[in-house]
Amino acid sequence: MARVTVKTLADELGISVSTVSNAYNRPDQLSARLRERVLSKADELGYAGPDAAARALRSGRAEAVGVLLTERLSYAFSDPYAIGFLTALSEVVEQHHVSIVLMPLSLDGDDLDLTAVRRANIDALTTLGLADNHPAIQVAKARGVRLVYSDVGEDPESTWVAIDDAGGGRQLGSHLRSLGHENVAVVVDTNRPAGSEARELTDDQIGFVDYASRFRGLRETLNRRLRLVSAGHNAIASGRSAGSWLLRRSDRPTAIVALSDVLALGVLDAARDLGLDVPRDLSVCGFDDIPAANPAGLTTVRQPIRDRGRRVAELLINPDAPDRQMLLPIELIIRSSTGPAL
């Protein structure tokens, strides 16, 4: 059977190709009766509608934006920060009939699989926590894909929506220093499976720009070496494993800062498992102020997650937006998980 095209449909109905196209793309240009005739005949002939790829070639637009995930695809549907950010982003882009392409960075052996970045049919791309020299960013740049970063960029021509991550680290460090804490450990996530065996890291093994900035702010304020530990990607199980490893040591820290609230909730679970009282025996801090932070009594740095998602979306769909570099406010939220060092 020959392939049914828009011209086939137009010939069958005795109307122009543009009229058929309007039935799909500009229905307000046709009467309801004529449009129903077009759609009914299309169904009869098995015509599925205009070719999206061809339409993109003609218009020069894909009508889709990409979100480059630094975690597994499941992260987008399970992590509270990602859920809040992506929900707000989608609420904006859907008003403009633009689609979202989620693009997880996965490992192929020891190498990054950048196939999705090379092939994605998108108009613009936002990144979460990746440095400008990251291979995925370089591939996107080489393709000419417009980028909206989630961290402060050094290039005056770059486009970004960010928070002062280093400033948030300094706020947490100052808070703990005022409480007399000197033995402080930091929990960060890596791309290993959630709840892996805890490992101590060096500063240069922090893989994401935002976490590296938060850690730098902590170090600047506490003015001493900080033990840095990871037990997998951003999940409660990872925080629990890292926290358990730290809290079983003879030189147990008096305070643990997790660079996300999700990891901090896992640290709180580890403390409870070992019968430790928070904050009498241990102070715990997080970062983000996700919805679960308040009922857990977690001291954290609040960032405007949904507002960040909305503003990123606006820049993704509008290349001519006037404000292309935005630093959003943060706030230290002190709750019951922190107290004086004993």
Side-chain angles (χ1 to χ4, degrees), residues 188-251:
V188 66
D189 71 289
T190 56
N191 275 327
R192 290 191 299 140
S196 297
E197 182 180 351
R199 295 180 185 173
E200 196 158 1
L201 307 179
T202 58
D203 298 14
D204 58 3
Q205 290 179 295
I206 300 178
F208 308 126
V209 175
D210 49 356
Y211 286 168
S213 296
R214 294 172 192 181
F215 185 74
R216 185 175 68 251
L218 282 165
R219 183 184 292 288
E220 289 172 359
T221 311
L222 292 170
N223 196 30
R224 55 180 46 85
R225 182 184 182 278
L226 300 173
R227 181 178 292 136
L228 181 64
V229 176
S230 177
H233 70 83
N234 193 40
I236 288 178
S238 300
R240 192 172 196 160
S241 177
S244 179
W245 184 84
L246 285 164
L247 296 174
R248 291 177 187 277
R249 295 178 63 89
S250 59
D251 57 347

Side-chain angles (χ1 to χ4, degrees), residues 137-334:
I137 304 300
Q138 295 304 307
V139 169
K141 283 184 173 181
R143 289 189 55 200
V145 175
R146 189 163 50 83
L147 288 161
V148 178
Y149 296 96
S150 60
D151 298 283
V152 177
E154 295 181 0
D155 182 354
E157 299 301 317
S158 63
T159 300
W160 47 264
V161 179
I163 61 170
D164 184 359
D165 285 293
R170 286 190 291 270
Q171 288 186 29
L172 287 174
S174 296
H175 174 58
L176 292 176
R177 189 178 62 185
S178 71
L179 294 171
H181 291 281
E182 297 184 355
N183 184 1
V184 179
V186 178
V187 176
V188 66
D189 71 289
T190 56
N191 275 327
R192 290 191 299 140
S196 297
E197 182 180 351
R199 295 180 185 173
E200 196 158 1
L201 307 179
T202 58
D203 298 14
D204 58 3
Q205 290 179 295
I206 300 178
F208 308 126
V209 175
D210 49 356
Y211 286 168
S213 296
R214 294 172 192 181
F215 185 74
R216 185 175 68 251
L218 282 165
R219 183 184 292 288
E220 289 172 359
T221 311
L222 292 170
N223 196 30
R224 55 180 46 85
R225 182 184 182 278
L226 300 173
R227 181 178 292 136
L228 181 64
V229 176
S230 177
H233 70 83
N234 193 40
I236 288 178
S238 300
R240 192 172 196 160
S241 177
S244 179
W245 184 84
L246 285 164
L247 296 174
R248 291 177 187 277
R249 295 178 63 89
S250 59
D251 57 347
R252 187 179 76 199
T254 63
I256 296 178
V257 179
L259 297 184
S260 78
D261 285 348
V262 170
L263 293 172
L265 294 174
V267 172
L268 289 174
D269 285 346
R272 280 192 290 268
D273 292 343
L274 295 172
L276 298 177
D277 181 271
V278 176
R280 185 190 63 202
D281 301 319
L282 174 73
S283 286
V284 179
C285 303
F287 206 109
D288 292 330
D289 199 29
I290 62 174
N294 186 26
L298 182 64
T299 293
T300 186
V301 173
R302 174 181 293 163
Q303 65 162 306
I305 299 171
R306 287 183 56 86
D307 189 33
R308 197 172 183 179
R310 283 191 293 267
R311 291 175 183 266
V312 166
E314 290 162 359
L315 292 173
L316 285 171
I317 61 178
N318 182 10
D320 301 316
D323 297 324
R324 308 206 60 79
Q325 297 181 346
M326 297 180 232
L327 192 66
L328 303 182
I330 56 174
E331 180 184 3
L332 176 64
I333 305 297
I334 300 173

Side-chain angles (χ1 to χ4, degrees), residues 59-129:
S59 67
R61 288 183 58 84
E63 301 300 338
V65 296
V67 178
L68 193 58
L69 302 173
T70 53
E71 293 269 2
R72 293 159 177 79
L73 185 59
S74 57
Y75 168 79
F77 305 98
S78 60
D79 180 81
Y81 174 87
I83 291 171
F85 178 88
L86 291 171
T87 298
L89 188 148
S90 65
E91 288 170 354
V92 173
V93 301
E94 69 183 2
Q95 295 175 16
H96 298 267
H97 308 289
V98 171
S99 301
I100 299 174
V101 180
L102 298 179
M103 303 159 62
L105 279 177
S106 57
L107 291 173
D108 182 9
D110 292 329
D111 300 320
L112 277 173
D113 182 357
L114 301 175
T115 304
V117 185
R118 292 191 179 99
R119 296 182 178 177
N121 186 22
I122 54 177
D123 298 313
L125 176 68
T126 189
T127 66
L128 299 178

